[in-house]
């Protein structure tokens, strides 16, 4: 019937079409032109909520979208030169509409401020179109056996246009005006444009069989410009139109120099320097003093070092550290004066047993007056794996700590308050796979999480899964999973879920 959709809140019945075509001309030759196109579209009907202030109403939904990607270019594969040039783009369109033709009470069962909110004849249209053109290329040159030079570039310019139109009748509460209305119309138009260009050049030199030098420089430049115009009419009276314009400019560059020296067959030492710099320009916040635009700058030097140690055939140890110092950064919580350490070890105990461990630590501090940001985190992880024909076991344990201390601006009286957050957490996961008769597979295990500090939490998730093959392409599956979450300071967020799944899986 015409009002059957009012008994459901969200559903869809769509037909989707997919197309993927790739063509390589003269494959295996030095020069290979190529071309490709992919398309995805969907059309159909469904039910989606029409959300208005203080209530939402299920409405008939018409779905109509399409996305097309196309590309073409040329590849060259020679002994001393490899090159790849590509030109492509994409188009996107979405014309989704919502319609209500009945007296719809929505999801609110009780009156609001003494009146029942209802929705009458209503239509809503979203019309979004976009396009994207890009050019990319990369080249690798080997002028001598001991040196490689590579370069890459990318340029894109995505654009999008948005149109929104809504006409609604009924008993509606308009929150911005704090009053009831019998009809409202909203018309909005907007666009966004985001050109982006990036490039990189890398030189790898091997002047000695034990020495390797890497020098690379990367750059990325982008800006985003957009606007939005909104007009609202309430009970036939036009409200004050709203117009927004926004713009973001962002440039970032990085130069990294690293040297690797193989002291022996078992020990490799490396070190280097990284310089990161950039600038940005954004719209200033409404409550911030100054002009309409705000500039930001980034400047940081880092020292990099570490080693790779293989004392035994079955044991490998990696260590890497980075110490950075900067005087300018974009955000108050970004890396500025920091020390970072990473340790990794892998040991093959036997053919069936393998042991892995990781340790990371980060200290970051921003001494700028008014910021004084202090952040510390560390994480230690142990993983054990056992594999054989009839069973397999994987156990993982992680101990993590976080400390964050910074001053924030309270939104009521705009006073600086201390924001201190601390978290000490334990996380564990275990999964045991058992190969049963008739090629059946059972998995037993689960995971847990427990933390103490600013927001103590605990979560448990046991799991049992069974897969029994019926024939080569068909199998019966069954799964039980339990999820429970508890928080001593936020008890209202606690929950527990039991999930059972029984099904038939068919595949090639």
């Amino acid at each position: 019937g015409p009002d059957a959709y009012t008994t459901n809140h969200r559903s869809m019945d769509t037909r989707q079409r997919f197309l993927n075509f790739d063509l390589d001309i003269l494959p295996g030759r030095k020069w290979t032109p190529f071309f490709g196109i992919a398309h995805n579209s969907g059309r159909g009907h469904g039910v989606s909520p029409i959300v208005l202030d203080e209530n939402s109403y299920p409405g008939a939904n018409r779905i109509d979208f399409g996305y097309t990607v196309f590309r073409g270019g040329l590849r060259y594969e020679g002994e001393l030169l490899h090159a790849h040039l590509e030109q492509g783009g994409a188009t996107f369109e979405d014309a989704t509409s919502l319609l209500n033709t009945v007296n719809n009470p929505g999801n609110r069962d009780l009156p609001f401020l003494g009146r029942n909110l209802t929705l009458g004849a209503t239509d809503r249209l979203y019309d979004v179109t976009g396009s994207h053109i890009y050019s990319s290329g990369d080249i690798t040159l080997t002028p001598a056996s001991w040196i490689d030079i590579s370069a890459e570039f990318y340029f894109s310019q995505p654009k999008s246009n948005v149109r929104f139109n809504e006409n609604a009748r009924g008993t509606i509460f308009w929150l911005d005006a704090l009053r009831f209305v019998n009809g409202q119309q909203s018309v909005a138009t907007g666009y966004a444009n985001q050109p982006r260009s990036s490039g990189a050049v890398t030189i790898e030199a091997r002047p000695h069989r034990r020495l390797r030098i890497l020098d690379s420089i990367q750059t990325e430049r982008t800006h985003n410009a957009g606007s939005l115009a909104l007009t609202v009419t309430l009970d036939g009276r036009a409200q004050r139109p709203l117009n927004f314009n926004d713009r973001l400019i962002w440039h970032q560059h990085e130069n990294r120099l690293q040297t690797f020296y193989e002291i022996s067959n078992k020990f490799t030492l490396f070190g280097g320097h990284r310089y990161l710099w950039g600038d940005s320009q954004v719209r200033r916040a409404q409550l911030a003093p100054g002009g309409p635009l705000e500039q930001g700058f980034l400047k940081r030097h880092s020292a990099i070092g570490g080693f790779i140690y293989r004392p035994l055939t079955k044991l490998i140890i990696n260590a890497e550290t980075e110490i950075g110092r900067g005087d300018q950064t974009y955000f108050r919580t970004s890396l500025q004066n920091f020390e970072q350490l990473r340790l990794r070890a892998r040991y093959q105990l036997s053919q069936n047993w393998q042991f892995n461990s990781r340790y990371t630590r980060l200290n970051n501090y921003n001494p700028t007056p008014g910021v004084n940001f202090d952040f510390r985190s560390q994480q230690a992880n142990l993983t054990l794996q056992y594999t054989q024909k009839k069973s397999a076991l994987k156990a993982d344990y992680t101990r993590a700590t976080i400390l964050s201390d910074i001053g924030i601006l309270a939104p009521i009286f705009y006073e600086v308050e201390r924001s201190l957050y601390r978290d000490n957490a334990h996380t564990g996961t275990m999964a045991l796979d058992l190969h049963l008769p008739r090629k059946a597979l059972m998995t037993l295990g689960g995971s847990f999480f427990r933390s103490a500090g600013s927001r103590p939490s605990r979560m448990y998730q046991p799991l049992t899964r069974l897969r029994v093959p019926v024939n080569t392409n068909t199998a019966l599956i069954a799964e039980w999973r339990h999820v429970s979450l508890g928080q001593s300071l936020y008890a209202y967020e606690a929950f527990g879920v039991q999930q059972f799944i029984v099904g038939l899986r068919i595949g090639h």
Side-chain angles (χ1 to χ4, degrees):
D3 56 359
Y5 60 83
T6 60
T7 62
N8 201 346
H9 191 70
R10 187 181 295 276
S11 64
M12 64 178 62
D13 181 12
T14 61
R15 175 176 294 179
Q16 289 189 254
R17 292 180 172 87
F18 300 91
L19 169 66
N20 194 354
F21 175 78
D22 289 295
L23 174 65
D24 285 352
I25 302 175
L26 302 176
R29 305 286 183 89
K30 287 186 176 182
W31 296 94
T32 303
F34 62 89
F35 175 79
I37 186 171
H39 177 75
N40 177 19
S41 63
R43 289 174 175 81
H45 301 276
V47 176
S48 291
I50 301 175
V51 181
L52 298 175
D53 290 338
E54 306 304 329
N55 205 353
S56 61
Y57 311 85
N61 184 18
R62 185 177 68 88
I63 303 169
D64 185 2
F65 70 90
Y67 183 65
T68 304
V69 181
F70 51 90
R71 64 187 184 91
L74 182 66
R75 288 191 295 266
Y76 176 79
E77 298 291 339
E79 295 182 0
L80 304 179
L81 177 66
H82 304 269
H84 179 104
L85 299 175
E86 184 172 319
Q87 177 71 50
T91 60
F92 172 78
E93 57 182 7
D94 185 358
T96 299
S97 62
L98 289 169
L99 178 68
N100 180 73
T101 59
V102 299
N103 187 25
N104 195 333
N107 295 327
R108 177 180 284 274
D109 297 328
L110 300 176
F112 179 75
L113 297 180
R115 300 180 65 175
N116 292 321
L117 300 179
T118 60
L119 187 67
T122 300
D123 60 87
R124 175 181 288 182
L125 172 66
Y126 301 90
D127 188 6
V128 183
T129 60
S131 64
H132 174 209
I133 300 297
Y134 73 89
S135 304
S136 66
D138 60 81
I139 183 173
T140 301
L141 177 64
T142 308
S145 60
W146 56 274
I147 187 171
D148 293 322
I149 302 174
S150 61
E152 60 183 37
F153 75 92
Y154 179 84
F155 173 78
S156 65
Q157 190 166 1
K159 301 178 180 179
S160 63
N161 293 277
V162 179
R163 184 169 64 91
F164 172 80
N165 193 339
E166 179 183 65
N167 293 278
R169 304 291 299 176
T171 303
I172 304 168
F173 183 79
W174 192 256
L175 188 60
D176 290 345
L178 293 177
R179 65 184 179 93
F180 290 94
V181 297
N182 296 320
Q184 65 93 11
Q185 181 184 28
S186 299
V187 178
T189 59
Y191 86 94
N193 184 15
Q194 189 182 26
R196 174 195 169 209
S197 59
S198 62
V201 177
T202 302
I203 300 176
E204 178 179 343
R206 299 172 295 276
H208 188 270
R209 65 181 184 88
R210 294 183 179 271
L211 179 62
R212 184 162 63 100
I213 302 173
L214 283 174
D215 189 12
S216 65
I217 184 169
Q218 301 177 0
T219 181
E220 185 164 347
R221 307 170 67 90
T222 184
H223 80 263
N224 184 14
S227 70
L228 174 66
L230 173 63
T231 302
V232 177
T233 302
L234 302 179
D235 289 334
R237 296 183 178 181
Q239 306 297 301
R240 182 180 178 181
L242 299 177
N243 293 279
F244 299 95
N245 291 282
D246 211 351
R247 184 176 178 86
L248 165 69
I249 301 176
W250 182 73
H251 304 150
Q252 183 164 305
H253 320 278
E254 178 181 336
N255 179 232
R256 182 192 291 256
L257 175 64
Q258 284 186 278
T259 300
F260 298 81
Y261 187 74
E262 187 176 326
I263 297 177
S264 67
N265 295 332
K266 296 182 178 181
F267 190 78
T268 300
L269 188 67
F270 64 89
H273 172 262
R274 183 169 68 152
Y275 177 42
L276 188 66
W277 74 100
D279 61 89
S280 65
Q281 188 180 81
V282 296
R283 172 175 47 87
R284 189 181 297 274
Q286 293 182 356
L287 298 179
L293 298 177
E294 181 178 1
Q295 288 189 325
F297 299 93
L298 173 65
K299 184 179 181 181
R300 188 172 69 239
H301 292 268
S302 299
I304 304 172
F307 64 85
I308 302 173
Y309 183 42
R310 297 172 291 272
L312 303 172
T313 305
K314 299 181 179 181
L315 175 63
I316 181 171
I317 302 173
N318 295 352
E320 182 178 353
T321 183
E322 182 175 359
I323 301 174
R325 294 293 181 265
D327 56 6
Q328 293 173 321
T329 188
Y330 291 140
F331 305 102
R332 302 197 313 156
T333 55
S334 298
L335 291 177
Q336 185 154 327
N337 296 341
F338 71 94
E339 299 88 32
Q340 185 171 247
L341 173 66
R342 289 188 292 266
L343 295 173
R344 296 182 298 271
R346 185 180 70 235
Y347 183 57
Q348 189 76 31
L349 301 175
S350 66
Q351 185 177 359
N352 299 327
W353 292 90
Q354 180 174 297
F355 174 82
N356 294 275
S357 65
R358 297 189 304 273
Y359 175 78
T360 61
R361 183 180 180 89
L362 172 63
N363 296 331
N364 182 36
Y365 181 65
N366 187 338
T368 304
V371 178
N372 294 326
F373 174 57
D374 186 15
F375 179 85
R376 284 172 279 170
S377 71
Q378 63 178 344
Q379 185 179 95
N381 172 265
L382 301 174
T383 302
L384 184 66
Q385 292 179 298
Y386 172 75
T387 306
Q388 65 168 2
K389 292 183 178 180
K390 294 185 178 181
S391 62
L393 173 68
K394 181 177 181 179
D396 183 277
Y397 170 75
T398 300
R399 165 68 171 169
T401 64
I402 294 177
L403 172 65
S404 175
D405 189 359
I406 192 174
I408 61 174
L409 194 65
I412 299 178
F413 300 106
Y414 300 103
E415 296 178 348
V416 177
E417 296 182 357
R418 185 185 184 189
S419 175
L420 177 63
Y421 179 82
R422 180 187 292 274
D423 185 78
N424 302 315
H426 302 267
T427 306
T429 302
M430 187 182 71
L432 175 63
D433 293 333
L434 299 175
H435 295 269
L436 306 178
R438 300 180 59 86
K439 297 184 179 180
L441 176 64
M442 174 177 283
T443 301
L444 303 172
S447 59
F448 76 91
F449 172 85
R450 292 184 66 91
S451 68
S454 301
R455 192 164 184 170
S457 304
R458 59 189 183 276
M459 187 189 74
Y460 301 96
Q461 185 175 323
L463 167 71
T464 301
R465 183 185 296 123
L466 178 64
R467 181 178 181 274
V468 181
V470 177
N471 54 41
T472 305
N473 301 322
T474 308
L476 296 172
I477 57 173
E479 180 180 305
W480 169 78
R481 187 190 299 265
H482 172 73
V483 181
S484 63
L485 172 68
Q487 294 185 337
S488 57
L489 299 181
Y490 301 87
Y492 58 87
E493 291 186 351
F495 68 89
V497 177
Q498 299 277 353
Q499 182 179 7
F500 299 90
I501 299 176
V502 178
L504 180 68
R505 180 173 296 171
I506 302 174
H508 295 287

